[in-house]
């Protein structure tokens, strides 16, 4: 399922089996948005035995903690499975804002992944999936003017306008796959939404001067992006 976002960064990863980096056009196997290549993130599959995990990670430089957990189990063995996994990340800030003497980039993030997997026959598979990512970033742009200033005084900045970025993304999809002897058919219906606002104006001159600022909060209809897609794919061996 294509992962929709307003930026080029990848969301925090957890409950991952493997990651494949495929260079060059991949539209034949992966459909749309694969002209330049694919980063294929494969999550762990359920089995007929219940499995789970818990992970806790403390960190240095005021990165306080990250915790993830998950559980997957069969409802009907060899037929119906469910899974749930989640992550919470709390960061107290790497940077100090010399304008007010406070930490600049406090972040808290929560993410979840929930699914039902149904196998009505050995060559049919249906997957209903829902993901969400909710981020709250108090200081989204820890920037200064020029590399000399950045290197001479690392992890410090001086901005008079401070704001909080709220970034909420959800991804819901239904995938149907059929593997026959001479062809493979798949249908993928997906709804994806991103809502991002900056609660106060953004400091666009990255200095203590009240020179340039950007207003971003224009309400739901302006700050929300929604995409509904249906993709049918037929491939041969």
């Amino acid at each position: 399922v294509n992962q929709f976002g307003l930026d080029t960064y990848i969301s925090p990863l957890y409950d991952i089996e493997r990651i494949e980096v495929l260079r060059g056009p991949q539209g034949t196997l992966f459909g749309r948005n694969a002209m330049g290549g694919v980063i294929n993130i494969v999550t762990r599959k359920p089995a007929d035995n219940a499995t789970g995990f818990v992970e806790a990670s403390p960190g240095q430089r005021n990165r306080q903690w990250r915790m993830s957990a998950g559980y997957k189990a069969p409802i009907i063995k060899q037929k119906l499975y469910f899974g749930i996994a989640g992550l919470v990340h709390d960061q107290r800030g790497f940077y100090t804002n010399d304008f007010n003497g406070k930490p600049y980039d406090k972040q808290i993030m929560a993410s979840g992944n929930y699914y039902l997997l149904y196998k009505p026959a050995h060559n049919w598979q249906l997957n209903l999936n829902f993901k969400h990512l909710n981020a709250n970033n108090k200081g989204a742009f820890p920037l200064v003017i020029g590399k000399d200033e950045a290197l001479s005084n690392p992890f410090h900045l001086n901005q008079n306008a401070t704001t909080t970025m709220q970034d909420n993304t959800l991804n819901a999809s239904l995938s149907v796959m059929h593997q026959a002897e001479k062809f493979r058919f798949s249908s993928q219906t997906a709804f994806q939404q991103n809502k991002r606002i900056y609660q106060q104006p953004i400091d666009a001159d990255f200095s203590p001067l009240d020179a340039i600022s950007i207003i971003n909060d224009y309400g739901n209809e302006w700050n929300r992006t929604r995409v509904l897609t249906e993709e049918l794919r037929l491939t041969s061996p």
Side-chain angles (χ1 to χ4, degrees), residues 1-3 30 45 114-120 123-131 171-178 184-192 229-233:
V1 180
N2 183 56
Q3 300 301 294
F30 291 93
K45 300 296 186 292
Y114 322 92
Y115 69 87
L116 284 173
L117 176 63
Y118 178 48
K119 297 180 177 180
N123 56 353
W124 283 94
Q125 181 172 300
L126 291 81
N127 197 332
L128 181 64
N129 183 246
F130 179 80
K131 302 184 186 73
N171 184 315
S173 64
L174 173 63
S175 299
V176 181
M177 287 171 281
H178 174 60
R184 179 179 180 179
F185 170 77
S186 66
S187 168
Q188 185 186 107
T189 307
F191 173 76
Q192 301 175 78
T229 61
E230 171 62 37
E231 182 174 311
L232 303 174
R233 197 155 62 236

Side-chain angles (χ1 to χ4, degrees), residues 88-102:
V88 177
H89 176 109
D90 188 346
Q91 174 181 297
R92 297 298 177 89
F94 289 97
Y95 291 83
T96 299
N97 188 357
D98 293 334
F99 184 82
N100 55 19
K102 296 181 179 180

